[in-house]
């Protein structure tokens, strides 16, 4: 029996990868072997980047809360400890926004936990 080749699926697979490589520089956008490797690498970076984004934002929020707390003579760890002790259920994202854009509201929270 002769060997069966599924050219339709093969072409579709290649088209899909080359479409994902659209916008890449040089041979990375139109040469199959180069584009396949570039797309695989890009997908790995994208997956990793989605995790890193969460870490980076949390670190940014912590820095902003720390800066706001220190203006009122308190460290970040003391402030967060007192927030938890007083059952104030504001997350770091909200606290960072208050510290940066609404300092009077943040000052009110600091005075409440002191």
């Amino acid at each position: 029996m002769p060997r069966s080749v599924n050219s339709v699926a093969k072409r579709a697979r290649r088209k899909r990868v080359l479409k994902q490589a659209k916008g890449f520089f040089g041979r990375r956008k139109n040469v199959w072997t180069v584009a396949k490797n570039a797309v695989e690498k890009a997908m790995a970076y994208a997956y990793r980047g989605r995790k890193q984004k969460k870490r980076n934002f949390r670190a940014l929020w912590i820095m902003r809360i720390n800066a706001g707390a220190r203006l009122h003579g308190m460290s970040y760890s003391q402030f967060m400890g007192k927030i938890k002790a007083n059952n104030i259920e504001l997350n770091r994202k909200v606290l960072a926004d208050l510290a940066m854009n609404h300092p009077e509201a943040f000052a009110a929270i600091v005075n409440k936990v002191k």
Side-chain angles (χ1 to χ4, degrees):
M1 196 167 160
R3 184 170 75 94
S4 170
V5 245
N6 190 354
S7 295
V8 177
K10 183 178 180 180
R11 170 70 53 91
R13 191 164 47 246
R14 289 183 178 202
K15 273 181 76 170
R16 187 172 63 242
V17 168
L18 288 171
K19 189 175 180 185
Q20 287 176 314
K22 185 179 175 187
F24 287 11
F25 183 82
R27 291 190 307 160
R28 294 163 69 91
K29 71 173 167 278
N30 54 14
V31 175
W32 162 245
T33 50
V34 182
K36 181 169 63 85
N37 292 334
V39 166
E40 278 179 12
K41 189 76 159 181
M43 292 294 192
Y45 281 143
Y47 177 80
R48 194 188 68 189
R50 288 193 296 275
K51 311 291 173 255
Q52 283 178 336
K53 186 166 76 168
K54 294 165 182 65
R55 283 180 236 152
N56 293 340
F57 269 105
R58 186 181 170 98
L60 177 68
W61 298 331
I62 288 171
M63 281 183 249
R64 287 177 175 174
I65 295 167
N66 190 20
R70 285 188 187 276
L71 289 174
H72 300 284
M74 201 183 279
S75 74
Y76 168 79
S77 61
Q78 291 169 335
F79 177 68
M80 291 309 285
K82 289 182 179 181
I83 283 272
K84 300 290 181 225
N86 286 298
N87 294 323
I88 298 174
E89 293 185 10
L90 292 175
N91 62 18
R92 286 169 180 79
K93 182 178 179 178
V94 172
L95 287 169
D97 183 55
L98 290 175
M100 187 147 180
N101 300 320
H102 307 284
E104 62 286 340
F106 189 77
I109 293 170
V110 173
N111 292 334
K112 186 167 171 47
V113 300
K114 268 190 177 176

